[in-house]
Amino acid sequence: MTVPDVWQKSSYSGGGQGDACVEVARRPARISVRDSKVPDRGVLTFPGPAFAAFIDALKKN
């Protein structure tokens, strides 16, 4: 049985419909990212530690 992804939007989604952002889904060993405006277009997937390092680097800038 496959468990569906639970997608979360950023709290910085912008005004209007709140769709000017990306969404992330946590999976056991990776993080998936998609465009909230066109969620069926495609998904980028990253190893959890690499995504965490990316977020940490963003917070420092």
Side-chain angles (χ1 to χ4, degrees):
M1 179 164 81
T2 303
V3 177
D5 291 326
V6 177
W7 293 95
Q8 295 178 302
K9 287 186 183 182
S10 167
S11 59
Y12 296 98
S13 296
Q17 300 289 334
D19 62 354
C21 67
V22 296
E23 297 173 314
V24 297
R26 295 179 185 168
R27 296 179 174 186
R30 59 189 189 234
I31 303 293
S32 296
V33 181
R34 70 182 182 184
D35 185 339
S36 62
K37 290 183 216 169
V38 284
D40 295 331
R41 182 173 285 171
V43 174
L44 298 174
T45 302
F46 303 93
F51 189 76
F54 172 69
I55 296 300
D56 287 341
L58 288 176
K59 289 178 182 178
K60 292 178 183 177
N61 289 323

